[in-house]
Amino acid sequence: MTAHRQFGTAWQQGISTSNQVVPASRQTPIGLELTYSQVSLRRRAWENCRCFAQVGGYVNYLTFRNPIPLGRTAGAGLFFEPLINYSRRLYYSVRVLAGLTYLTRVYDPVSNPTNDHFSMPVSALIGSGFTAHYRLTQQWNLTLGAIYNHISNAGTRLPNQGMNIPIVAVGAQYQLSPAVLPDTREWGRAPLGRRWMSRALLMGSIRVLPKTDKKPEMALPVFGLNVVGGYRITRNHAFSAGFELVDDHYFKEQVITWTRGRVTDARQATVLAGYEFWQGRFIFTAHHGWNLIRPIRYKPATYQRYNLLYQFPNRITAGMSVKAYGDNTKGFSVVAGYTL
């Protein structure tokens, strides 16, 4: 057998409420999550991080128990979850996840003016968690976890305060076959064959410009090209640098309004430098950017670009990207390209 498969379910209990809506929330959120995952038992998979990891997908449902301003949400996505002390009856795991979620109640200037948390029915959900697993039998586990989720549209449409949702989760997992993981004490890490790397990604997104007295609400495209090269210090850690070219029609419309039509070019060229964390086929990048070419009134001149990528066996790479100024997000993009 090359993979160990399992199903899971968990009851999720929120531990905080939102008091920034009318009426204010008096009860914490509650929800349900279903998961399917598998653990690759191949030596090559273990060598990526010197660990076995659950990789899979989830679907979830959450009610904020404040139906007028906040409503409910349901979503789906992927997660990556390395196991700790997996050979014991009590073991642990650390999870990172990303997906999309549908919200039943969002901001409306007339019917829902106090909901500054959400303004798009479909938004992004990212999160992390720590879970304790207790083996009841060879195929059944009990789980107790602490999860921290964040829902946001990353500035695609305003207002976008987003919402942080800390959760305690209690659940169970059923394994399709008894959990027998290989003894890795004699395994060594394979040498890293290629240290220099390069990557080119095409970026695309849509940002919504709010309605004004003179113009209707407009959904405007943002296109870009992200090219970097770098050096892998170890299998998991790398430094990289490159450039980014962006044609931002959202900001172009803002510049036209601000300058009363005197400026119409909002294209940007940015130099990037930063760090990358490689975990198997998953790649997380954090780059700082300096806008060398930018339109007038574009501030600040620097920003951060965060990518969560997945590299397929043929080196095609795809994922999500977020642009931010400190803790202020300015839109997310779908990205796809190639890594050498």
Side-chain angles (χ1 to χ4, degrees):
M1 178 180 291
T2 59
H4 176 68
R5 297 176 176 86
Q6 62 187 14
F7 292 91
T9 182
W11 176 262
Q12 299 188 336
Q13 174 65 60
I15 58 176
S16 65
T17 63
S18 171
N19 297 316
Q20 301 178 32
V21 293
V22 178
S25 298
R26 297 183 180 276
Q27 301 183 83
T28 57
I30 57 173
L32 181 69
E33 179 188 74
L34 302 176
T35 61
Y36 169 77
S37 62
Q38 65 179 34
V39 179
S40 176
L41 304 182
R42 296 180 182 274
R43 178 171 176 173
R44 182 175 179 180
W46 178 86
E47 287 173 346
N48 285 328
C49 67
R50 298 186 71 86
C51 70
F52 291 107
Q54 296 176 171
V55 180
Y58 72 87
V59 294
N60 65 4
Y61 169 84
L62 192 73
T63 173
F64 297 102
R65 295 204 281 181
N66 193 352
I68 296 175
L70 294 176
R72 302 172 300 280
T73 185
L78 302 174
F79 65 86
F80 177 79
E81 191 167 359
L83 306 179
I84 304 170
N85 292 333
Y86 55 84
S87 62
R88 301 178 182 177
R89 180 178 289 273
L90 177 63
Y91 65 100
Y92 309 94
S93 63
V94 178
R95 176 192 292 191
V96 292
L97 64 87
L100 297 175
T101 194
Y102 175 77
L103 297 150
T104 60
R105 294 288 290 165
V106 298
Y107 169 82
D108 185 274
V110 177
S111 63
N112 200 9
T114 67
N115 184 356
D116 291 338
H117 294 292
F118 315 124
S119 60
M120 289 181 62
V122 177
S123 294
L125 185 149
I126 58 175
S128 61
F130 180 83
T131 301
H133 307 251
Y134 183 78
R135 287 195 179 97
L136 290 177
T137 69
Q138 289 186 324
Q139 292 180 265
W140 281 100
N141 292 347
L142 292 180
T143 60
L144 175 64
I147 303 170
Y148 191 85
N149 289 335
H150 176 73
I151 297 176
S152 172
N153 68 49
T156 301
R157 171 183 280 170
L158 300 177
N160 180 53
Q161 180 179 320
M163 181 178 285
N164 298 318
I165 310 172
I167 289 171
V168 173
V170 179
Q173 292 177 330
Y174 176 73
Q175 301 165 358
L176 299 184
S177 59
V180 179
L181 299 180
D183 185 349
T184 63
R185 286 177 293 183
E186 297 182 358
W187 288 3
R189 183 175 296 216
L192 179 60
R194 181 193 295 267
R195 289 191 177 271
W196 290 100
M197 51 75 60
S198 60
R199 181 188 309 113
L201 299 172
L202 294 175
M203 305 184 298
S205 68
I206 294 176
R207 296 191 66 190
V208 179
L209 195 65
K211 178 182 177 181
T212 65
D213 294 337
K214 297 182 179 179
K215 294 183 179 181
E217 181 179 85
M218 291 183 285
L220 301 167
V222 181
F223 302 105
L225 173 67
N226 178 287
V227 177
V228 299
Y231 184 77
R232 297 180 66 177
I233 301 172
T234 67
R235 182 175 295 274
N236 299 106
H237 305 283
F239 291 106
S240 59
F243 66 90
E244 185 170 280
L245 304 176
V246 175
D247 188 5
D248 188 338
H249 290 249
Y250 174 91
F251 190 70
K252 177 179 180 179
E253 189 65 33
Q254 290 182 312
V255 169
I256 291 173
T257 300
W258 294 337
T259 65
R260 298 182 180 180
R262 295 193 304 272
V263 178
T264 60
D265 188 357
R267 289 172 291 186
Q268 304 160 39
T270 304
V271 173
L272 301 169
Y275 165 78
E276 301 192 5
F277 179 72
W278 293 50
Q279 184 68 53
R281 297 194 182 279
F282 291 90
I283 306 170
F284 172 76
T285 75
H287 288 107
H288 195 79
W290 293 266
N291 273 90
L292 301 182
I293 300 174
R294 62 185 186 276
I296 62 171
R297 301 188 68 173
Y298 185 93
K299 295 180 180 179
T302 62
Y303 61 84
Q304 296 79 48
R305 172 73 68 183
Y306 303 102
N307 294 335
L308 180 60
L309 309 172
Y310 182 82
Q311 181 178 293
F312 293 91
N314 58 6
R315 296 189 177 276
I316 291 176
T317 305
M320 302 294 294
S321 178
V322 174
K323 182 178 181 179
Y325 307 115
D327 59 357
N328 185 8
T329 55
K330 292 295 183 180
F332 67 89
S333 304
V334 176
V335 299
Y338 197 79
T339 299
L340 289 175

